[in-house]
Amino acid sequence: MLDSARSPAESSGFSRKIAATIIIVYTVVTLIPITWIILTGFKSVDGAITYPPEVFFKPSLEGYVNLFTTRSRQSQEYLDSLPPPDTWYEELVRSREMVIAGPSKFFGRYTNSLIIGFGATFLSVFLGALAAYAFSRFKIPLKDDLMFFILSTRMFPPIAVAVPIFIMYRKIGLGDTHLGMIILYTVVNLSLAVWLLKGFMDEIPREYEEAAMIDGYTRMGAFFKIVLPQATTGIAATAIFCMIFAWNEYAFAVLLTQFNAQTAPPFIPTILGEGGIDWPAIAAGTTLFLIPVMIFTVVLRKHLLRGITFGAVRK
Amino acid sequence: MTIFSLVLYVLAGILVCILYYHISNFLLDFFAKKDSKDSSIRAVIFIAPAFIVLVIFILYPVFETIRLSFFDKFDREFVGINNYIWAVNDPEFRRCILNNLGWLLIVPTLSTFFGLVIANLADRIWWGTIAKSIIFMPMAISFVGAGVIWKFVYDYRGPGDQQIGFLNAIIVSFGLDPQAWITIPIWNNLFLMAIMIWIQTGLAMIIFSAALRGVPKEMLEAARIDGAGELKIFTSIIIPYLQQTILVIWTIITIVVLKIFDIIVAMTNGQWQTEVLANLMFDWMFRGGGDSGRGSVFAIVIMVAVIPIMVLNIYRHKQEQKI
């Protein structure tokens, strides 16, 4: 009769304990892979492949050094003939009987990801906002059908049109260019941008821009100077969504880019070290690649909700 | 060079936007002055850019894919439905269909189920919000990134050799032999699906926990006063109340699963009987010289598979708009 003190309308302490146990177990299971890869990034190359794997180890930045540099193996005599290393990372590499030959491609790939990500985000938001405004304000013949055509391109698996895109890009010279990838990611993001932004623009009262137009603004002027600033939150949420997609996209990146415009996702899994795959470097690269998006997503998850469900769930 | 091209891109982008602004302004003034109420040129200017890119980069390629599927591997000769006949008799294709079906049945079901249970339970604990943030985290991880991460979990080297996998570290510490997780046919599919469930549960959970706030408190209290157990409340109040949300989440995850490709490329590259349609398509199109005809057939199968979900989703959106 211990429970009699509790209001019967509350869930019992016992069920709360079960709840806590289940949540703890699932949270830990969720965290293990993420923790494991972050830890592996701080292992030394030998440490990463010891048997059995170590959970506790002496941290090393070797993975990160290997990620950003290319190295060549040298004989002990040659190493002895060199002046003492200037920096801690040179020292680390020397201790493996190697010298730094130059920077690796990782930085360039990361920059490519940034250029393509920002470019595609900007374009999809720009084009999306224009279309969304028209759908939100104007009378358009076949409006619903056009909207649903746009919606259907979101559900459509882009990879299913890989062949014609590949052929087209080779013909018109867009293959392995930043511009080509920007256009492609813009197209894939457009439907989301249009639908999301239309929802946000529907919430902005028409009276604002009508008043502005009476004051002598053109329609375009009213759109850029009155409507867009009002929709800042919506634009930011949409932009983050587009950015995450472009940042993470893999299939087209692996297909259409090799050298010039290759982004980080196809590059990271192929990082090779001495005598095979350099696991700590891959782990380090993956960590650096994932952290920005993870922070964004977790911080903004309430906004993202609307994007994931296409406006089906609002707050 | 990269910094330079970055600046160049930004400038070009801004220039195009300014140009677009002025040209369209001019056009609007020119055509739409007289009847400024409802001129169709206005709508065209706003919608056209988006539509043009969608038509060129999605609609045209769809028709091109359909056309290619009726031609031979070099896109030279018309072969009728030969590619389709070949595909139906291809054992690999059949296995892919089975694998895809497995993915479609298991991943949306388990992700939705876990999501619902966790959303429901996390609200009872004071640190539930923190747990929810953590469980949502994998959602941010790209599929190929997830593949790399889970490689570190499932990794296996020969017995006595050096190991880097987490799962084998656990197994070995219990004195068992390390397992080559992703090379055991049938089971390895489940291990790959676990990755997707790991990602999608957070999504389901976050939507459910928003929807759960809509369940009337009085209803739950009344049920508890009537002596209903937690399980009873869950099955006969919460689930019926969230029916619509369950359907929404189900379709979202199903659409994601239909596109499944990256995880399998990163983990097994389709070896050990894990290939799905998208992998098979990719292999036929781009490996070993390429066969655009046969590849396109698989692309079309994927497109057709999406149609029912697409129709269901559009129907749902239409219903919502009526309200």
Side-chain angles (χ1 to χ4, degrees):
Chain A
M1 283 283 105
L2 274 172
D3 268 339
S4 60
R6 185 194 307 277
S7 145
E10 265 177 46
S11 54
S12 65
F14 178 65
S15 80
R16 206 172 296 149
K17 250 173 226 151
I18 294 179
T21 321
I22 293 174
I23 301 279
I24 286 179
V25 169
Y26 201 91
T27 310
V28 169
V29 170
T30 305
L31 268 180
I32 284 173
I34 301 173
T35 324
W36 191 248
I37 197 159
I38 294 174
L39 289 181
T40 307
F42 290 104
K43 287 183 178 178
S44 64
V45 173
D46 300 331
I49 51 171
T50 46
Y51 177 86
E54 296 166 317
V55 178
F56 301 100
F57 56 91
K58 192 164 146 274
S60 148
L61 282 171
E62 199 181 347
Y64 286 86
V65 172
N66 288 359
L67 179 67
F68 284 102
T69 60
T70 53
R71 300 151 311 281
S72 62
R73 187 164 289 282
Q74 299 294 345
S75 65
Q76 195 58 51
E77 298 87 68
Y78 176 78
L79 288 173
D80 290 338
S81 72
L82 291 173
D86 303 327
T87 53
W88 60 268
Y89 51 88
E90 266 190 289
E91 197 180 327
L92 189 78
V93 171
R94 293 265 180 91
S95 70
R96 304 274 171 216
E97 294 181 2
M98 288 186 283
V99 291
I100 293 176
S104 76
K105 292 180 192 152
F106 181 73
F107 186 73
R109 301 300 188 249
Y110 207 84
T111 324
N112 280 343
S113 273
L114 281 175
I115 295 175
I116 291 168
F118 277 110
T121 303
F122 176 77
L123 251 189
S124 19
V125 171
F126 179 71
L127 298 182
L130 282 173
Y133 181 68
F135 281 122
S136 165
R137 294 297 199 265
F138 303 156
K139 276 204 191 107
I140 298 168
L142 297 175
K143 186 183 196 165
D144 283 353
D145 298 291
L146 292 176
M147 281 298 281
F148 286 121
F149 163 67
I150 293 182
L151 179 65
S152 68
T153 65
R154 182 64 181 185
M155 287 174 257
F156 184 81
I159 188 161
V161 293
V163 171
I165 296 265
F166 182 74
I167 297 169
M168 179 159 74
Y169 268 43
R170 209 170 37 192
K171 266 188 201 148
I172 56 180
L174 280 178
D176 204 15
T177 62
H178 295 90
L179 184 65
M181 298 315 284
I182 289 176
I183 293 175
L184 199 60
Y185 292 165
T186 303
V187 172
V188 177
N189 274 329
L190 249 182
S191 58
L192 178 82
V194 173
W195 270 80
L196 275 185
L197 288 170
K198 179 181 176 286
F200 286 111
M201 284 181 187
D202 283 343
E203 288 163 14
I204 301 170
R206 280 162 186 261
E207 286 75 32
Y208 290 148
E209 75 231 51
E210 272 160 17
M213 277 157 66
I214 290 167
D215 287 349
Y217 277 97
T218 58
R219 175 61 82 165
M220 270 289 164
F223 170 67
F224 273 97
K225 285 165 196 155
I226 311 293
V227 179
L228 284 191
Q230 292 271 336
T232 313
T233 328
I235 288 174
T238 312
I240 287 159
F241 246 97
C242 296
M243 186 71 199
I244 290 177
F245 171 82
W247 188 253
N248 285 344
E249 206 282 336
Y250 174 74
F252 279 110
V254 86
L255 180 62
L256 296 173
T257 65
Q258 287 96 39
F259 311 104
N260 174 38
Q262 193 183 45
T263 52
F267 174 71
I268 291 172
T270 62
I271 299 169
L272 294 175
E274 277 271 319
I277 294 169
D278 190 339
W279 291 104
I282 289 186
T286 310
T287 308
L288 288 184
F289 182 75
L290 292 180
I291 293 231
V293 191
M294 265 165 62
I295 293 170
F296 259 128
T297 310
V298 172
V299 171
L300 296 164
R301 63 176 194 283
K302 295 237 162 67
H303 282 292
L304 298 186
L305 198 60
R306 197 158 153 173
I308 300 165
T309 61
F310 253 78
V313 179
R314 296 199 175 168
K315 296 267 159 106
Chain B
M1 181 262 157
T2 38
I3 299 295
F4 176 69
S5 56
L6 182 68
V7 173
L8 213 67
Y9 274 114
V10 172
L11 285 180
I14 292 170
L15 198 72
V16 168
C17 293
I18 292 172
L19 265 180
Y20 186 81
Y21 173 74
H22 283 289
I23 291 173
S24 51
N25 237 341
F26 170 77
L27 283 175
L28 280 174
D29 281 350
F30 195 79
F31 289 104
K33 258 286 148 61
K34 280 156 211 151
D35 56 335
S36 59
K37 265 287 169 233
D38 268 309
S39 144
S40 53
I41 184 90
R42 209 171 54 186
V44 170
I45 283 175
F46 276 92
I47 298 179
F51 259 85
I52 290 169
V53 290
L54 281 180
V55 168
I56 296 177
F57 292 94
I58 293 207
L59 205 58
Y60 158 73
V62 169
F63 287 108
E64 183 67 7
T65 306
I66 296 173
R67 190 189 66 78
L68 282 170
S69 73
F70 293 108
F71 280 76
D72 72 347
K73 65 194 277 191
F74 302 115
D75 183 25
R76 287 200 194 118
E77 256 173 77
F78 181 77
V79 293
I81 56 166
N82 282 0
N83 286 330
Y84 289 88
I85 294 170
W86 165 82
V88 172
N89 293 314
D90 183 37
E92 250 186 311
F93 172 67
R94 292 181 183 176
R95 190 164 57 223
C96 280
I97 295 275
L98 282 182
N99 281 348
N100 266 79
L101 280 178
W103 277 83
L104 285 175
L105 286 176
I106 294 171
V107 175
T109 314
L110 286 185
S111 314
T112 313
F113 175 74
F114 287 144
L116 182 54
V117 169
I118 289 162
N120 194 34
L121 295 181
D123 286 342
R124 294 150 199 259
I125 317 162
W126 62 267
W127 43 269
T129 330
I130 304 164
K132 280 199 274 187
S133 297
I134 293 172
I135 293 170
F136 187 66
M137 239 154 40
M139 198 48 215
I141 294 172
S142 68
F143 293 151
V144 70
V148 173
I149 290 178
W150 281 77
K151 252 196 165 129
F152 287 88
V153 174
Y154 290 144
D155 189 83
Y156 166 80
R157 304 293 142 105
D161 232 356
Q162 298 167 320
Q163 310 275 337
I164 64 165
F166 177 81
L167 217 49
N168 280 333
I170 302 273
I171 292 272
V172 168
S173 72
F174 283 113
L176 299 165
D177 284 334
Q179 294 292 315
W181 304 102
I182 56 171
T183 62
I184 316 163
I186 317 274
W187 289 105
N188 53 5
N189 280 306
L190 294 178
F191 296 132
L192 296 184
M193 288 175 205
I195 305 174
M196 196 56 144
I197 295 167
W198 175 69
I199 296 175
Q200 299 295 336
T201 298
L203 168 89
M205 173 204 71
I206 213 90
I207 301 174
F208 277 129
S209 68
L212 272 173
R213 264 170 250 142
V215 180
K217 284 254 151 41
E218 305 78 48
M219 211 147 87
L220 298 178
E221 278 167 23
R224 288 204 180 103
I225 289 166
D226 287 349
E230 290 302 318
L231 204 63
K232 183 85 184 151
I233 290 173
F234 186 68
T235 52
S236 39
I237 296 180
I238 291 177
I239 289 184
Y241 196 87
L242 294 181
Q243 232 169 21
Q244 209 56 36
T245 319
I246 292 174
L247 189 70
V248 170
I249 293 169
W250 190 289
T251 48
I252 291 173
I253 299 177
T254 303
I255 289 170
V256 175
V257 170
L258 275 167
K259 300 178 187 175
I260 177 75
F261 169 75
D262 317 25
I263 290 181
I264 293 174
V265 171
M267 295 294 291
T268 65
N269 211 350
Q271 288 169 286
W272 308 296
Q273 303 179 19
T274 54
E275 67 265 71
V276 292
L277 279 172
N279 292 98
L280 196 59
M281 182 200 85
F282 224 72
D283 278 350
W284 275 102
M285 281 175 175
F286 304 111
R287 302 249 162 83
D291 184 332
S292 59
R294 290 179 177 179
S296 296
V297 170
F298 298 127
I300 284 169
V301 175
I302 300 173
M303 290 186 211
V304 171
V306 182
I307 289 176
I309 306 283
M310 218 137 105
V311 171
L312 178 74
N313 238 348
I314 288 179
Y315 173 77
R316 195 170 49 75
H317 270 274
K318 278 199 171 145
Q319 294 299 97
E320 262 164 35
Q321 284 198 339
K322 272 182 201 151
I323 308 161

